[in-house]
């Protein structure tokens, strides 16, 4: 196996472990808002950084591994459904913005898209699980929170990315 492949695999494993840890830590300190279910989305920082360092395949792999592990370790099957629906839609939205980065779209733009579409994915999962469209009434609040948290996680991701890229020589 080539040295470059081993380095990439090790960094992907470290990033997956980091995302799992961030998920756990985020659960310990809920945001002080009166709206239930809103989180900062710290594990999404890892997905976003992985996308910009390695591309979409690794970003999806890290997301899926993180969701599977955190669901089995901490939260259960219902969390798996909601996290996977939100996460897959989120990474897909971030990927589409990532493809447009040469046209001026920033990592913050990708993060905001990811935050908004993560919430949309979870609402769609709730519609299927709960068999009601009433949950769509919660969507405007979640879109606003997705924008706000997306900006924060985008800023953090944007500051981490050049440092990791320099350390590992993997800027894309």
């Amino acid at each position: 196996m080539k040295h470059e492949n081993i380095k990439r695999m090790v960094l992907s494993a470290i990033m997956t472990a980091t995302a799992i840890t961030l998920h756990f830590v985020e659960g310990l300190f809920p945001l002080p808002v009166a709206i239930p279910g809103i989180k900062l989305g710290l594990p999404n920082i890892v997905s976003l950084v992985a996308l910009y360092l390695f591309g979409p395949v690794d970003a999806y792999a890290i997301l899926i591994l993180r969701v599977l592990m955190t669901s089995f370790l901490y939260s259960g099957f219902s969390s798996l459904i909601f996290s996977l629906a939100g996460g897959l839609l989120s990474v897909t939205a971030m990927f589409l913005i990532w493809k447009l980065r040469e046209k001026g779209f920033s990592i913050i733009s990708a993060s905001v898209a990811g935050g908004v579409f993560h919430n949309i994915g979870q609402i769609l999962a709730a519609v299927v699980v709960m068999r009601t469209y009433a949950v769509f009434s919660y969507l405007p609040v979640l879109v606003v929170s997705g924008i706000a948290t997306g900006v924060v996680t985008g800023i953090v991701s944007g500051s981490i990315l050049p440092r990791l890229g320099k350390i590992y020589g993997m800027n894309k």
Side-chain angles (χ1 to χ4, degrees):
M1 187 174 260
K2 289 183 180 178
H3 176 71
E4 188 66 29
N5 291 339
I6 293 171
K7 184 165 66 168
R8 184 175 176 158
M9 207 170 22
V10 168
L11 184 55
S12 292
I14 291 169
M15 291 178 82
T16 302
T18 301
I20 292 167
T21 304
L22 288 172
H23 174 88
F24 177 75
V25 169
E26 185 174 65
L28 295 175
F29 305 102
L31 290 177
V33 293
I35 304 162
I38 293 178
K39 295 181 180 179
L40 191 52
L42 297 178
N44 295 332
I45 293 169
V46 177
S47 297
L48 188 58
V49 169
L51 175 65
Y52 276 76
L53 274 181
F54 304 128
V57 173
D58 290 56
Y60 280 110
I62 289 169
L63 165 80
I64 291 168
L65 288 171
R66 186 229 341 142
V67 168
L68 288 173
M69 294 299 293
T70 57
S71 295
F72 293 141
L73 290 171
Y74 309 121
S75 41
F77 185 70
S78 64
S79 174
L80 174 72
I81 293 167
F82 289 101
S83 294
L84 204 52
L88 289 172
L89 205 54
S90 173
V91 172
T92 300
M94 291 188 300
F95 167 64
L96 293 173
I97 299 297
W98 173 78
K99 287 183 74 162
L100 298 171
R101 66 194 180 282
E102 302 299 325
K103 300 209 184 297
F105 287 92
S106 69
I107 194 167
I108 296 173
S109 303
S111 183
V112 167
V116 169
F117 279 89
H118 189 278
N119 292 336
I120 291 170
Q122 289 192 324
I123 288 290
L124 292 173
V127 166
V128 171
V129 169
M130 299 170 79
R131 296 185 178 133
T132 178
Y133 293 104
V135 293
F136 277 116
S137 64
Y138 196 43
L139 190 57
V141 172
L142 291 179
V143 167
V144 170
S145 74
I147 292 169
T149 59
V151 168
V152 172
T153 57
I155 290 168
V156 172
S157 299
S159 68
I160 291 170
L161 185 63
R163 290 171 174 86
L164 281 181
K166 186 185 290 185
I167 290 169
Y168 294 100
M170 301 178 106
N171 278 337
K172 276 195 168 194

